[in-house]
Amino acid sequence: MKQGGRMFYIGAGTSGRLGVLDASECPPTYGVSDDLVIGIMAGGDEALRYGIEDAEDSFEQGWLDLKSYDVNSKDVVIGIAASGTTPYVIGALKEARNNGIFTACIVCNSNSPISQNSDIPLEIVVGPEFVTGSTRMKSGTAQKMILNMISTSVMIRLGKVLDNNMLNMQISNEKLIDRGVKMLMDKSGITNYDNAKAYLLRYGNVKNALENFEKGKC
């Protein structure tokens, strides 16, 4: 990603929705562009709200959906599937590897076909679901936690976090402005709230405001 690559999540059903959710949280939380972490779901955006269950049955469509983003060898593709047998995801991972693209997967069964088509399989075996077959429960919760870990650690390594602060978050409402002002005051030593707010609004995020404040002090 530091060399210009992107991270793709690809899945179907609950797994696909979780990938899209994690990807959609990255721009407001870390101030990155919406094409750095991309979530792709079988059935497209309509399937986020309505169940399009047969969309996962095509081995070819996952790769076609990735190709629509001009996926290439700089990118990383992470397949998400509770069972590890979803054709849509298997096909996408297999073709990604055939094209020299680094792959990983988040799966809740061991030794699955999806793991076999991933350079790094992340297998979280949660056991039988509370309601048999409803993988939005134990499997979905485990997948959500792993997705949080991946995106958070990636953004830390990309320099989007200082200590545990979201320096690059989008200042898009009053709550976030107030949070940013207090963060800036804490990191810079500015004691006047209004002065810190003016700095923040002038430079757009805490990181830029802090950098320009430090330059002014020197």
Side-chain angles (χ1 to χ4, degrees):
M1 294 174 80
K2 288 181 177 178
Q3 299 170 357
R6 299 160 295 173
M7 182 163 67
F8 288 88
Y9 299 137
I10 187 164
T14 296
S15 298
R17 292 184 188 96
L18 290 170
V20 172
L21 173 62
D22 195 75
S24 68
E25 294 281 7
C26 290
T29 305
Y30 301 108
V32 297
S33 65
D34 59 10
D35 61 356
L36 186 65
V37 181
I38 299 170
I40 299 176
M41 179 174 179
D45 288 349
E46 185 179 0
L48 290 170
R49 184 175 295 273
Y50 305 104
I52 306 178
E53 304 303 332
D54 60 344
E56 68 179 54
D57 292 336
S58 170
F59 279 95
E60 296 79 23
Q61 191 59 49
W63 176 243
L64 293 175
D65 289 347
L66 282 168
K67 283 178 64 178
S68 71
Y69 290 88
D70 295 322
V71 65
N72 61 75
S73 59
K74 289 184 178 181
D75 299 324
V76 174
V77 176
I78 301 176
I80 314 167
S83 66
T85 60
T86 308
Y88 178 84
V89 182
I90 296 171
L93 292 173
K94 184 175 182 178
E95 286 303 315
R97 294 184 85 187
N98 288 342
N99 284 271
I101 300 168
F102 186 80
T103 61
C105 71
I106 303 171
V107 62
C108 297
N109 280 325
S110 57
N111 301 315
S112 68
I114 283 175
S115 291
Q116 294 163 15
N117 284 282
S118 300
D119 296 306
I120 297 184
L122 304 175
E123 298 178 338
I124 314 97
V125 181
V126 298
E129 291 289 352
F130 184 75
V131 175
T132 301
S134 182
T135 55
R136 68 182 179 84
M137 297 180 180
K138 291 165 68 175
S139 297
T141 300
Q143 290 172 331
K144 178 71 165 63
M145 293 173 67
I146 297 299
L147 287 163
N148 284 343
M149 294 175 194
I150 291 171
S151 58
T152 301
S153 58
V154 163
M155 293 303 158
I156 290 171
R157 292 293 298 273
L158 290 175
K160 303 300 180 182
V161 177
L162 177 63
D163 298 328
N164 67 332
N165 297 128
M166 304 183 294
L167 295 191
N168 292 272
M169 68 178 181
Q170 294 178 1
I171 307 299
S172 55
N173 60 34
E174 289 299 323
K175 177 188 73 175
L176 295 176
I177 291 172
D178 180 67
R179 182 182 299 170
V181 170
K182 292 174 179 175
M183 200 183 304
L184 180 58
M185 293 174 70
D186 178 63
K187 297 297 181 183
S188 68
I190 299 174
T191 57
N192 183 279
Y193 184 96
D194 290 336
N195 288 345
K197 183 175 181 179
Y199 242 95
L200 178 66
L201 295 178
R202 179 179 179 183
Y203 292 106
N205 62 39
V206 178
K207 182 178 181 180
N208 290 340
L210 187 59
E211 288 176 350
N212 281 278
F213 178 76
E214 291 297 329
K215 289 177 183 178
K217 286 175 62 178
C218 298

